[in-house]
Amino acid sequence: MVSGKVPLHHEDGKEGLLSFVRHHQWHIDFFSKKEINGVTNIETSHAALKAVGGHRRGRTLRPAQCWYNSTAQQETKMAEHKAKHNNGSNRGTLYVVGTGPGSLKHMTPAAGEALKKADIIVGYKTYLDLIPGYLEGKEVLASQMMKEVDRCRKSLELARNGQEVALVCGGDPGIYAMAGLVFEMAEEHDSDCNIEIIPGIAAVNGCAARLGAPLMHDFAAVSLSDLLTPLELIKKRLEAVASADFVVAIYNPKSKKRTEQIKIAQEIFLKYRDPKTPVGIVTAATRDNETITLTTLADMLSCEIGMQSTVMIGNSQTYIWNEKMVTPRGYSGKYEL
C-alpha cells in the first residue's frame, strides 16, 4: 500500500526505490517519524533513533533514505556495469566459483578475483562461512543444505537482470557441485546471461595430497549419496570400478541417516581386493578440524567417517610408506630408479 502521504516523485533520491517497486508491481507504505514513535511498549533501537527517531521491537527500522540511496546506487552500478562490460545490453555474469577444500590458501587466485568482481554472492552458508573476507561490502544470499535449485534459480535471475553474481561451491563446481545444474536450468529457462565456471581444488585431489600420492594411476570417483542416484545404480558402479582395479575416491560416504551405503561399498570391494588394501580417510581437508586416517579395507568401518569425509580405496598395487599412501605409476618396471 502506498500511503498517499508521500508522493510518487521526490527530489531527494527516492526514485530508485519507487521504480523498483513499480517494476515488481509491489505495494509500499511510508511512515513518518511521528508515526513510528507512536508505537508503544517496545524496546528502543538506538540506531533508528539516531537516524529518524524511530524504534521497534526485535529489529531496527532502517531510515527510508538509506533504502532509497542503496537502491539508487545499485541501479547506477548496474548501469555502469552494462556500459563498461556489456555494451549497453542487459546481460550480467554468473560466476560459478569453486573455493577449494576449505582453507583460503587453497583457493585459486581466479576464484578470489571472481568473488571480488561480484556484486552479489550466493551460496550454502557453511561454504560462505569459510570466506568471510570476500563477503564484506557485498550483498550475500545464504541458504541451507538441499536448496541447490533455489540458489541456482536466484543466481540466474540476478545475472539475467544485469548483476555480477558469484555462486559459491566448495571444492570444484564441476565435480558433484553446481555447474551442471546451472547449465541445465539456464537451458530450461533460456537464460540470457554470461556463465563462467571458475574451477577449484576438488576433494578428490585435495584429499589425495593430504594422504600422499594415492591417485598416481587410473582412478574413479563414486558418490554414495542416493538422493539423486538410485542405490542399485550406485552398487553397479561400485562393482565396475572395484573389479577393474581402479583406485576409488568415495564421496558422500556416510551421514547420520545414511549409514548402510559405506557398508555395502566395503562388501563389494572385499570381493575383489585384499582385506589389507590401504584405505585413506580425510575429513574436513585443510580446515581447522581436519583429520587424516590410514587404515585397511577390512578395518575402515571402525574409523570415523562422516559427510565431510572422502574415502580413498587403493588398488592392488597401493602401499603405505612413511605414513603416506602411494600408488605406483609403473616407472619401476620400465626405468631404473
Side-chain angles (χ1 to χ4, degrees):
M1 297 171 290
V2 176
S3 68
K5 300 167 189 155
V6 180
L8 289 178
H9 298 283
H10 296 276
E11 296 179 357
D12 55 1
K14 300 182 179 63
E15 290 82 4
L17 175 63
L18 297 171
S19 174
F20 182 77
V21 169
R22 286 196 296 269
H23 173 74
H24 289 278
Q25 297 182 335
W26 291 345
H27 297 288
I28 186 170
D29 256 326
F30 295 96
F31 299 92
S32 68
K33 177 170 63 178
K34 182 178 179 181
E35 289 173 313
I36 292 172
N37 285 331
V39 182
T40 59
N41 298 320
I42 59 175
E43 297 173 353
T44 298
S45 166
H46 296 290
L49 279 172
K50 182 178 179 181
V52 295
H55 49 70
R56 183 178 174 185
R57 179 182 296 275
R59 62 182 294 189
T60 298
L61 288 177
R62 301 190 187 183
Q65 186 65 40
C66 290
W67 282 98
Y68 302 141
N69 286 346
S70 175
T71 307
Q73 289 169 2
Q74 186 179 61
E75 291 189 348
T76 300
K77 189 172 184 179
M78 286 174 62
E80 291 174 349
H81 166 74
K82 292 173 188 177
K84 183 177 180 180
H85 299 286
N86 296 325
N87 297 319
S89 73
N90 195 39
R91 300 178 68 202
T93 299
L94 173 55
Y95 302 99
V96 188
V97 181
T99 55
S103 71
L104 289 179
K105 69 180 181 180
H106 287 88
M107 189 172 76
T108 68
E113 286 301 314
L115 293 172
K116 291 176 183 177
K117 289 178 185 176
D119 304 311
I120 303 172
I121 296 179
V122 182
Y124 172 39
K125 185 179 183 302
T126 298
Y127 294 147
L128 296 182
D129 288 343
L130 297 173
I131 54 169
Y134 289 94
L135 307 182
E136 295 176 4
K138 308 284 187 178
E139 181 179 351
V140 178
L141 304 179
S143 60
Q144 300 301 319
M145 287 184 68
M146 312 295 287
K147 297 294 183 181
E148 293 89 348
V149 172
D150 292 341
R151 290 196 290 272
C152 284
R153 180 183 293 114
K154 187 62 178 179
S155 298
L156 286 166
E157 175 189 331
L158 291 166
R160 276 199 306 269
N161 290 333
Q163 297 278 35
E164 296 283 272
V165 184
L167 175 59
V168 170
C169 310
D172 182 278
I175 300 178
Y176 297 121
M178 308 288 278
L181 181 57
V182 165
F183 284 121
E184 288 180 52
M185 294 185 70
E187 178 187 17
E188 180 71 22
H189 300 285
D190 195 24
S191 295
D192 184 25
C193 65
N194 302 305
I195 299 174
E196 292 188 25
I197 308 300
I198 312 298
I201 296 175
V204 68
N205 53 322
C207 294
R210 312 306 272 183
L211 290 168
L215 304 181
M216 283 300 297
H217 216 306
D218 298 333
F219 65 91
V222 179
S223 170
L224 298 191
S225 172
D226 58 357
L227 180 64
L228 301 174
T229 305
L231 180 56
E232 289 306 310
L233 181 54
I234 294 173
K235 291 180 182 178
K236 184 176 180 180
R237 290 174 176 172
L238 289 170
E239 288 276 356
V241 296
S243 63
D245 201 30
F246 283 103
V247 177
V248 178
I250 295 182
Y251 278 69
N252 305 312
K254 188 178 179 181
S255 68
K256 291 181 180 179
K257 295 182 179 179
R258 180 170 42 79
T259 59
E260 293 303 308
Q261 281 86 338
I262 190 65
K263 297 177 183 178
I264 293 170
Q266 183 197 42
E267 291 172 2
I268 291 173
F269 274 86
L270 282 171
K271 290 164 54 177
Y272 303 98
R273 308 278 169 96
D274 190 306
K276 295 182 180 179
T277 299
V279 171
I281 303 166
V282 182
T283 301
T286 78
R287 306 178 195 179
D288 292 339
N289 58 330
E290 175 190 86
T291 61
I292 300 171
T293 303
L294 290 173
T295 184
T296 64
L297 185 58
D299 296 333
M300 59 182 277
L301 296 185
S302 65
C303 302
E304 189 70 29
I305 300 174
M307 272 297 292
Q308 293 186 38
S309 303
T310 300
V311 178
M312 298 272 186
I313 301 177
N315 68 11
S316 60
Q317 303 300 309
T318 304
Y319 63 93
I320 301 296
W321 176 79
N322 264 5
E323 299 300 311
K324 296 296 181 181
M325 188 174 175
V326 181
T327 300
R329 179 72 175 91
Y331 289 102
S332 61
K334 190 173 180 65
Y335 305 102
E336 183 178 347
L337 301 182

